[in-house]
Structures are given as structure tokens and as C-alpha cells.
Amino acid sequence: MKLRDVAQSIRAEVLYGEELLDTIDIECAYGADLMSDVLAFARPGSLLLTGLTNIQIVRTAQMLDLPAVVFVRGKKPQEAAVKLASQIKMPLLLCQMSMFETCGILFAKGILPCHIPDRGV
């Protein structure tokens, strides 16, 4: 699914990268508000959904080779995060829905979750 279709599905506002939405394919996504979880479980190429708004979330997404970030619950990223995203050409989307609702909509549209290793529990 193109990132533009993702944005339309979750009625997201594009904070940066409108011109990039048709160039990015999204097959899987990962949602978390813990940076450690993002580092442990997001896989390259996946869309990141988060409520974290600081510049570190964009740096982490860049380091993990994630193509875009969706900020959920209407949480606007800090200006420094938007500025960094524009410098590295990483689209940022703002969604008013909860993390649960956003993930559910994307899952229903065929976006797969990132695999979390079995913990043997």
C-alpha cells in the first residue's frame, strides 16, 4: 500500500513529505511509545506509529531505515523533529486517532505487524 493510501485510510494530516507519499510502499507497521521497543522490534521498511514527539523518534526511524512516522492521538512532533525529517526527506503524518484504532485500521487494510520473537510464555 502506498503511503498516500495509508494517510487517507487513517485521515492523517501530512506534516512533511506530501510529495513523497506516492513513492513509498508500506507492507508492515510497528506501533510503540517506548523507544526501546521500537529499537528491538521495528524492522527496516516498516511504518512507525507513535505518540513520542521528540527529535529522537525521527533519528531512531532514520537509524532503523523506517520510511515514515505517524504521530497518533493528535500529538504534534516538536519543531526540531519536523525540521530533521525535512532534512532527511522522511514523511511525517499526524493522526487524531488512538494507537489502537490506527493500528486496527491499517491491519484491516492489509498492513502486517512486525514480527515479535516468541518469548516462550
Side-chain angles (χ1 to χ4, degrees):
M1 175 185 287
K2 293 291 184 191
L3 185 56
R4 181 172 305 281
D5 298 325
V6 168
Q8 290 172 347
S9 295
I10 59 174
R11 299 188 306 265
E13 174 187 348
V14 180
L15 300 174
Y16 171 75
E18 176 74 36
E19 71 280 5
L20 301 169
L21 299 183
D22 292 319
T23 66
I24 298 172
D25 287 310
I26 302 296
E27 293 182 10
C28 61
Y30 186 74
D33 282 344
L34 288 175
M35 194 73 75
S36 58
D37 281 356
V38 174
L39 288 166
F41 304 120
R43 71 179 202 210
S46 58
L47 177 66
L48 177 61
L49 294 85
T50 188
L52 298 173
T53 60
N54 58 39
I55 193 171
Q56 280 73 30
I57 199 65
V58 176
R59 290 190 194 284
T60 300
Q62 179 187 28
M63 183 180 72
L64 295 174
D65 200 22
L66 308 180
V69 178
V70 175
F71 296 93
V72 296
R73 300 188 301 272
K75 299 189 98 177
K76 293 185 179 182
Q78 296 174 354
E79 187 59 36
V82 177
K83 183 176 180 183
L84 176 60
S86 68
Q87 291 170 348
I88 63 173
K89 300 196 179 309
M90 176 182 289
L92 299 181
L93 307 177
L94 177 62
C95 177
Q96 297 298 321
M97 296 180 219
S98 70
M99 175 92 69
F100 180 81
E101 187 175 11
T102 306
C103 291
I105 289 170
L106 295 179
F107 185 77
K109 296 278 185 180
I111 301 295
L112 299 173
C114 291
H115 174 73
I116 296 176
D118 186 8
R119 297 182 183 161
V121 180

